[in-house]
Amino acid sequence: MNVTAPTDHVDVIVIGAGFAGITAARDLHEQGYSVLVLEGRDRLGGRTWYREFPGTSTCVEYGGTWFSTAWMTSLAREIARYGIEVVDQPSPQSFLWATGDDRRTHAPIPAGEFGVAEKTIVALHEAMRRTPGGGLDADEDYRDIDVACSDWAPIRDLPAASRDFAYGWAAMYGGCDPADVSVLHYTRMLAEFGNNVTALYDGLAQKFAHGTRSLIEAMAEPIADHIRLSTTVRRVIDTGGLVRVCCDDTVLTADRVICTIPINVLNNVEFEPALPENVSAAASFGHKCMSIKAWARTRNVPDGLFGLAWPAAIQWVSNEYPLDDGTSLVVGFGYDEAELDATDVDSVAAALRHYAPDAEVLAVDTHDWTADPFSAGAWSIWGPGWVVDGHADAFTAPHGRVHFAGSDVAVRWPGWIAGAIDSGTQVAAEVRSTLRRIS
Ligand SMILES: Cc1cc2nc3c(=O)[nH]c(=O)nc-3n(C[C@H](O)[C@H](O)[C@H](O)COP(=O)(O)OP(=O)(O)OC[C@H]3O[C@@H](n4cnc5c(N)ncnc54)[C@H](O)[C@@H]3O)c2cc1C
């Protein structure tokens, strides 16, 4: 690699063409700065990917999908700006709540457990109030709630069905075992939804009528000539005067770099000077969201079925798209590849029969975000200790001329598409404040 012969110079190089990178690059371009987006994959969108389910003409989301414009104002703003069509998530026509060996189709937990479950809801609300509006309070001691969901007494000590119901939601939203996700991760998120436990359900209120692609392509359109796909960044060198960004066969320079690389793969890139210890420690801590989003073309799954189960190979299931031939496309979320092989018809069929005993699976498809070298995981979640060990603050300050952004490190809506957009907007403003305006 030739690091002494830069081929190009721009004001800002943005690493990553997901929602964070495209938002930041678009904003800076509009404000008159020269930008270049370097993206390792051969497509835009990062951890969103809308494409056809094989053998059908129906496109589905393999990554990020749902949102709520009522709460996620940065995303709502972009949707309105480009006139992107969104649809409401249809109301389920039937429910299946499976905990232990029990199946319920009406109340999610047994009526006899309502009273004790209410105490847990109160405890959740008390925790939510400690992150007003979803923000962390520097003066607050979070040690009692920055703990694993499975270690937190108000959940752990519930009667079995209610505890398993809570674990099912924790596993689905965490894409991991409830032992690997912090209570604080959820209570902060629910606070951002206006202190609302039912946001676990209501937050998935809408999706794009024509996929996430419809929005990111609209946002990227003005900077299309400034995006290089299939260009993986290997090394970032801050010389003190400018930044050299080294890819496989080229070196580019910029006054500033915005790095939106997912935290689970950040340490794959070499930084000179080396990343501060707190940043590389946070990246090593990473997140444990290894969600497996399994799509299946099925028969005999009830129309509009929505289900949640624990323990189960698939913790959350939704019958999303009825097709003309009487089959339907069903999506399920699991996290344990020992329990669920989303590329295998029999494995997915066995998992779906937990919800629909007569389910037949004709075809399956998925994207393995955990094996993907550009993500090494799905969406970001806070593992136990993320906040009290100081990782949540690690990415707020720039490292010399390198600024960090992305939904993994977002202050608002971390882990969501909205968080990526919010973080992209903020980092563009931060970088702008450090650069001389050129037009
Ligand atoms: C299965 C799944 C389901 C999800 N469901 C939802 C949902 O329903 N609602 C929701 O709001 N969110 C959801 N999310 C999360 C959401 O998709 C992400 O939080 C968001 O898209 C991340 O955007 P980003 O720009 O921060 O990161 P990314 O989209 O990951 O973008 C970072 C980019 O950097 C690139 N990159 C990485 N390393 C390099 C390198 N060395 N050189 C060059 N480029 C590099 C990557 O290829 C990528 O394109 C889901 C995610 C997954 C995976």
Side-chain angles (χ1 to χ4, degrees), residues 158-222:
L158 280 166
S162 297
R163 184 202 57 214
D164 286 356
F165 176 71
Y167 282 178
W169 279 110
M172 181 277 176
Y173 260 93
C176 63
D177 190 277
D180 289 327
V181 58
S182 173
V183 172
L184 180 54
H185 174 76
Y186 292 116
T187 56
R188 190 221 61 80
M189 180 180 83
L190 297 175
E192 200 158 22
F193 275 113
N195 294 342
N196 181 3
V197 176
T198 59
L200 288 172
Y201 181 80
D202 297 337
L204 310 178
Q206 295 153 293
K207 55 191 175 188
F208 292 98
H210 307 290
T212 38
R213 204 170 63 194
S214 59
L215 178 59
I216 200 151
E217 285 178 356
M219 294 172 73
E221 201 268 331

Side-chain angles (χ1 to χ4, degrees), residues 15-21 38-41 43-48 62-67 72 75 204 231-234 260-262 265 269 291-293 333 369 373-375 377-380 405-408 414-420:
I15 309 175
F19 274 98
L38 303 177
E39 167 55 51
R41 293 187 176 107
R43 60 173 182 82
L44 302 179
R47 280 171 283 171
T48 60
Y62 287 82
T65 308
W66 292 282
F67 51 84
M72 299 169 175
L75 176 58
L204 310 178
T231 305
T232 301
V233 172
R234 306 287 181 192
T260 72
I261 295 174
V265 291
V269 176
S291 182
I292 302 168
K293 187 173 186 179
F333 287 84
W369 297 99
F374 294 109
S375 53
W379 59 90
S380 70
S407 85
D408 295 2
W416 295 79
I417 296 167

Side-chain angles (χ1 to χ4, degrees), residues 7 18 81 125 213 285 313 390 419:
T7 55
R81 174 175 173 175
H125 275 275
R213 204 170 63 194
F285 188 97

Side-chain angles (χ1 to χ4, degrees), residues 357-375:
D358 298 329
E360 262 180 68
V361 173
L362 310 175
V364 291
D365 199 22
T366 189
H367 178 71
D368 188 342
W369 297 99
T370 300
D372 186 326
F374 294 109
S375 53

